[in-house]
Amino acid sequence: MKKLVWLTALLTSISSASFADNWDMPTPYGDGTHHTQVAKSFAEEVNEKSGGKLTIKVHSGGSLIKHPEIHRAVKTRQVQIGEVFVGRLGNIDPVFKLDNIPFLATDFDSAEKLYKASKPALNKQLENDGLMLLYAAPWPAQDLYSNKPVNSLDDLAGLKMRAYSPTTSRLADLMGTTPVNIPFSDVAQAFTTNAVDAMVTSPSTGVNSQSWDYISHFTTISAWIPKNMMFVNKKIFDRLDSDTQKVILTAAANAEKKGWELGRQLAVEHTNILKEKGMIVAEPSQALDSSLREIGATMVNEWLDESGADGKTIIDAYKSM
Ligand code: PCA
C-alpha cells in the first residue's frame, strides 16, 4: 500500500512537471528602461497567478536574442514570447512604419487614439506571422539631441543623424541630414567616436545612455510617440489551458496600463533630469517647428501612398476619434 501511495505521488509530480511550461522572453532594451520594467512586472504577474503552470523568464537588453532577430525568433518558435520596437518592423508592413511618422500624434492622448485606430491592422499583420499582440506601451515623445543650438533645419544640414527604423532614416533624409543606423546599445559610443552628430529620441533614452556625457543640446520638438510591443507565438498560446490564457491576458492589460502611465510620467521626469545634468533644454523655434511639421505632412502623404486603402482606413478612424 505504501508503495502505491509513493508511486501515485511520483506520477503526480511527473505529470504536473510536464504540464508546467517555461517561456523565454527576450527584450531589446536594458533593465534601466521602463519597457523592461513593465515586461518584468508582466512576467512576475503571470508567474505568480498561473500557480506554477507557466514561468516566464525575461532576458533583457538583447542578452538572449538581439533586437533585429526577436520578431523572427518568436515567429519560428525559437522562443515563445518577445518584445520589439514597433517601427523597427517597418519593412515588413507599412502599419509598423506608422508608429514612427512624425507630427501625426504628438501628445499621449493622440497617441492612444492612433494606437486604437491602428490596432486592428497591427493585430492582423502580427497574425499573418502567427503572432498575437499582448500589449504595446509608449516611449515619451521624440526630441532632438544636437551639439549646438538648432534654430532651423540649416543648422543640421549635412550632419550625421542617428536612425533606428526605416521611417527615421527617411526623416533624416528629409531633414537634410545623413541617416546612420545605430542601435541603442551603441549610441553613447557612436557620439564619442563622431559616427553620429545628432539624434531624435526620447528624454528617457538620453537618461538611460547618460547623454549629458556626450551631447549638449536638447530641443523639445515632441515629434511622435513610438511604442514597443509584446507578442506571443499564437500556436504556443493556444496550447495553454484557458485559465492560464486568462492570466496572461489580464497581466497584459495591466502591463499596457502601467506602460502608458509610465510613459506620461517619464516624459516629464526624464526631461527634468537632462536639465539637472546640465543639458541645454530649449523649445523649438517657430522656423524649426514649421519646417519639421511640413516634413511630417510629406511623410504622412508618403505613408498613405504606400499603405493604400488600409492606411486610409486607419487615418480616417484616427481623425474621427
Ligand atoms: N528610445 C528608443 C526608441 C525610441 C526611444 O525613445 C531608442 O532610441 O532606441
Side-chain angles (χ1 to χ4, degrees), residues 203 207 212 268-279:
V207 169
W212 47 89
V268 179
E269 282 178 24
H270 283 165
T271 304
N272 286 338
I273 293 179
L274 297 182
K275 268 186 220 160
E276 283 160 22
K277 294 290 183 183
M279 288 194 68

Side-chain angles (χ1 to χ4, degrees), residues 262-292:
L262 269 174
R264 285 174 186 265
Q265 180 189 325
L266 295 177
V268 179
E269 282 178 24
H270 283 165
T271 304
N272 286 338
I273 293 179
L274 297 182
K275 268 186 220 160
E276 283 160 22
K277 294 290 183 183
M279 288 194 68
I280 299 162
V281 176
E283 285 183 7
S285 68
Q286 225 167 7
L288 180 66
D289 189 61
S290 67
S291 33
L292 285 174

Side-chain angles (χ1 to χ4, degrees), residues 29 85 139 142 162 164 184 201-202 205 226:
Y29 291 86
F85 180 68
W139 293 87
Q142 306 291 287
R162 177 197 173 217
Y164 57 47
F184 166 73
T201 188
S202 60
T205 291

Side-chain angles (χ1 to χ4, degrees), residues 124-151:
K124 194 173 133 212
Q125 202 46 51
L126 289 171
E127 276 163 22
N128 283 347
D129 283 324
L131 304 170
M132 184 177 115
L133 179 67
L134 289 175
Y135 68 86
W139 293 87
Q142 306 291 287
D143 295 316
L144 176 64
Y145 292 73
S146 58
N147 261 321
K148 56 179 179 186
V150 179
N151 293 312

Side-chain angles (χ1 to χ4, degrees), residues 53-96:
K53 281 196 269 183
L54 175 60
T55 305
I56 301 178
K57 186 161 191 243
V58 181
H59 303 269
S60 60
S63 57
L64 181 66
I65 294 174
K66 297 264 171 269
H67 198 175
E69 300 300 325
I70 293 177
H71 176 264
R72 199 179 55 194
V74 184
K75 181 178 163 178
T76 59
R77 283 182 271 165
Q78 186 186 344
V79 289
Q80 300 79 4
I81 185 170
E83 180 190 339
V84 301
F85 180 68
V86 176
R88 224 182 196 290
L89 304 178
N91 288 333
I92 297 180
D93 187 85
V95 74
F96 300 120

Side-chain angles (χ1 to χ4, degrees), residues 29 33-35 67 85 100 138-143 162 164 182-185 187 199-206 208 224 226-228:
Y29 291 86
T33 307
H34 67 285
H35 290 288
H67 198 175
F85 180 68
N100 288 176
W139 293 87
Q142 306 291 287
D143 295 316
R162 177 197 173 217
Y164 57 47
I182 310 273
F184 166 73
S185 50
V187 161
M199 66 177 170
V200 179
T201 188
S202 60
S204 300
T205 291
N208 293 151
W224 69 97
K227 300 184 287 296
N228 281 14

